[in-house]
Structure formats: structure tokens, C-alpha cells
Amino acid sequence: MTPPAVLPHVDAVQAALEDGGLTVYLGGVPAAAGWTPPDKYVVLYPEPGQAVRESLADLRTDFTTVFQITCVGGSMERALWAADTARAALSAPLAVEGRATWRPEDLGGPPVQRDDDTNPPSWFVPVQYRLMSIPA
């Protein structure tokens, strides 16, 4: 049996967020000249995850990963709207082909912060989630 892969899990998170009405960027925002960010969006930062033992037989078929969703807005309220919308989008188990997933676990994050390095300034709040799955 092949070990679980992280990319199908990342795709499932991104799809759930987009289905929830969010604009999602993976790993950062576009760096194209003249690009103007939307008024509210999220940036998904996945980690590679970890295949873990399902039993003493050392079969590494269970999977756990943590990902961060940085919620960004043109105001504090818009950043918090993105956080609330992401939380609602991730309130049910995700669809990962061949896997059964737990509902993503909200691990929280720090308070909303203002970013004066953007023009105009923006507000952001990173929120982390844990996702676990087993073979279906």
C-alpha cells in the first residue's frame, strides 16, 4: 500500500474554501506587476504532513497535517469575515479520494494585525488547522 500524499489533502482544503466563496491563493499572492488584490482573500500555506502508523505492524497509512490559512482584508472586519467564512467552509469532513477524513480541527491563531507594508494597508489573521485521514 502506498503512503498517503499531501497534495490531494491540499486540493481538498482549497476546494472547500473556494466552494465557501473565498478567493484562495496557494503559498502567496501573485507577484505580477499591476496586480491588485481582491478586497478579501485567503492564502493557504500547507506543510508536507506526516504518514503515521496505523498499528504495531508499522503500516504508515494514516495521515496528519497542519495548514495555515492567512485571512486578508482591506479592513479588520473584512479579514475577520474571511476567517469566519473559512471556518464555516471547513466545518465538515473534506473529500479526499480514497481517504476518510476527520473534520479539520481549528487550532486558532493570533489577533488580527495591520500590514503597513502594503499599499493601501491591509489587515491579516493567520489561522491554523489540523487535518487527519485514514484509508477509506
Side-chain angles (χ1 to χ4, degrees):
M1 177 174 277
T2 60
V6 68
L7 287 177
H9 292 81
V10 172
D11 291 344
V13 171
Q14 185 170 358
L17 293 170
E18 289 172 348
D19 290 347
L22 289 162
T23 300
V24 181
Y25 299 104
L26 185 59
V29 295
W35 178 78
T36 303
D39 194 41
K40 48 192 174 286
Y41 60 93
V42 299
V43 182
L44 174 58
Y45 295 99
E47 70 165 27
Q50 182 179 15
V52 293
R53 288 191 308 246
E54 69 176 54
S55 69
L56 291 175
D58 201 30
L59 298 174
R60 297 186 182 261
T61 59
D62 294 358
F63 183 75
T64 184
T65 188
V66 173
F67 56 93
Q68 177 176 299
I69 300 170
T70 299
C71 306
V72 184
S75 68
M76 182 185 311
E77 292 81 4
R78 287 184 175 97
L80 290 171
W81 176 89
D84 284 345
T85 303
R87 184 172 290 119
L90 298 173
S91 64
L94 304 180
V96 178
E97 186 175 344
R99 311 286 301 171
T101 65
W102 280 259
R103 182 173 56 86
E105 179 184 1
D106 185 340
L107 302 176
V112 178
Q113 301 169 56
R114 181 180 162 125
D115 184 358
D116 289 320
D117 291 336
T118 62
N119 188 15
S122 59
W123 283 257
F124 68 96
V125 59
V127 183
Q128 292 190 336
Y129 290 85
R130 178 179 295 117
L131 179 60
M132 298 186 305
S133 72
I134 59 173

